[in-house]
Amino acid sequence: TPMAIGENVDGVSLEKSAEGVGQGLMNTSEITWKRSLIASMSHFKKFFRFRISLTFKFILAMFFLVLVSSAAFGYFFVAREISLLQENLEAHGKSLANIFGLLIKHPSDLENRAYLQSIAERVIQDEEVVQCILLSASGEEVARARKPGPISPSNFLDHLHQISQPLRSREGNLLGFIQIGLSLQKLEGRTYGMKRDILLVTMGIIGLGILFTIMMTRILLLPIEKLVMATEKVARGELAHSVDIRSRDEIGDLVRAFNQMTLQLKESRQ
């Protein structure tokens, strides 16, 4: 009937209107959420879009350049000096072993423990020597002498450079071994002193480099600052303004191009 058809049409229109309202609310909330997300992202970008001056960039580049160069130079210099000191220390220890090895040339000498102990004690009288051990051909310890010092027994061997030389008779037969422990404290002290000196020199070079960089950047940036001020005046309509900078480099080319541009703008407006 017409009345039923009218009710159905009204019901369908009401459902469509309700669906339209629901979709409108959903679209509105989605748009609001997207806008808030974009706004938060823009704030996030602005937070990291801070201005870094050229002076700071030059100083940072100079700092890392000096730091890397000093670290490389210091590493090779210290490594070379340590190698030379170790070679000298080892040569000194071998020389002592050869000298005192001449005092033991007969198998009967290894049976005299008092004589061997006196040799070991004479060896440690050297300034560089901390410990001396005499061994028989079978590896048995026959004499030992150690210089008293501040080194604790727990890390005693960590501060020694051990040298072992064979003891031979006049006929060339093996009699035993002499082991000499050389102190590394002087070497460690010199190494620490070299590292400290390199660090101090590096800090001094960095300080001078920062001062020199600030002076050079001020000289280099002064024409650019004048050009920026002139650009702002031209933007306000002061076309008669020109920049007087005489420089035979890229900055001079830029200034000449700017003056030509302002001249052409002035002629075009007349």
Side-chain angles (χ1 to χ4, degrees):
T1 60
M3 186 178 293
I5 293 172
E7 291 177 355
N8 292 332
V9 172
D10 294 337
V12 172
S13 62
L14 288 172
E15 290 178 357
K16 288 183 177 180
S17 62
E19 291 178 358
V21 172
Q23 290 179 358
L25 292 173
M26 291 177 63
N27 291 334
T28 303
S29 62
E30 185 177 358
I31 291 171
T32 304
W33 179 78
K34 288 182 178 179
R35 286 179 178 176
S36 62
L37 179 61
I38 292 172
S40 62
M41 290 178 66
S42 64
H43 288 303
F44 184 75
K45 290 180 179 178
K46 287 180 182 179
F47 178 76
F48 288 99
R49 199 180 296 167
F50 54 88
R51 182 175 180 270
I52 300 177
S53 64
L54 286 176
T55 304
F56 179 76
K57 291 179 181 179
F58 281 128
I59 291 175
L60 195 63
M62 183 278 308
F63 174 80
F64 281 110
L65 179 63
V66 173
L67 191 64
V68 172
S69 301
S70 300
F73 171 76
Y75 173 78
F76 288 110
F77 179 76
V78 172
R80 177 176 173 274
E81 289 297 318
I82 290 176
S83 178
L84 290 175
L85 290 174
Q86 286 180 345
E87 290 178 1
N88 293 334
L89 192 66
E90 187 168 357
H92 180 66
K94 289 181 178 180
S95 176
L96 287 175
N98 292 329
I99 290 173
F100 285 96
L102 296 175
L103 301 176
I104 304 173
K105 289 298 181 181
H106 300 281
S108 59
D109 294 337
L110 294 175
E111 298 177 1
N112 190 349
R113 298 296 180 92
Y115 176 69
L116 296 176
Q117 185 64 31
S118 65
I119 292 176
E121 291 178 355
R122 288 171 62 184
V123 172
I124 64 171
Q125 291 178 2
D126 188 271
E127 183 182 2
E128 305 289 341
V129 179
V130 177
Q131 178 177 268
C132 179
I133 300 175
L134 296 175
L135 304 173
S136 64
S138 60
E140 179 187 359
E141 182 177 313
V142 293
R144 174 190 288 266
R146 177 183 295 181
K147 184 181 296 183
I151 304 176
S152 61
S154 59
N155 58 352
F156 181 77
L157 296 178
D158 296 336
H159 296 273
L160 291 183
H161 182 70
Q162 296 280 356
I163 292 175
S164 180
Q165 288 281 96
L167 299 174
R168 298 186 180 277
S169 63
R170 299 184 184 275
E171 294 79 15
N173 298 324
L174 181 64
L175 299 177
F177 300 92
I178 179 171
Q179 293 181 355
I180 297 178
L182 300 170
S183 175
L184 294 177
Q185 284 187 338
K186 183 178 291 186
L187 187 145
E188 292 171 353
R190 294 187 64 177
T191 303
Y192 174 77
M194 286 187 293
K195 291 179 179 179
R196 181 193 58 198
D197 294 340
I198 291 173
L199 180 61
L200 293 176
V201 171
T202 302
M203 292 176 64
I205 293 175
I206 289 175
L208 293 175
I210 290 175
L211 183 61
F212 178 76
T213 303
I214 292 174
M215 294 173 59
M216 289 302 298
T217 50
R218 293 307 302 168
I219 295 173
L220 293 174
L221 294 179
L222 184 60
I224 299 177
E225 292 177 355
K226 291 182 179 180
L227 189 59
V228 170
M229 294 174 61
T231 305
E232 293 175 352
K233 291 182 180 180
V234 171
R236 291 195 298 266
E238 301 178 11
L239 299 179
H241 186 77
S242 63
V243 182
D244 185 15
I245 297 176
R246 298 177 182 178
S247 179
R248 297 181 180 180
D249 53 11
E250 289 79 1
I251 296 178
D253 296 338
L254 181 62
V255 170
R256 285 188 289 271
F258 175 80
N259 291 332
Q260 185 68 25
M261 180 193 68
T262 54
L263 181 61
Q264 291 177 359
L265 286 175
K266 182 180 179 182
E267 292 177 352
S268 65
R269 291 190 180 185
Q270 288 179 353

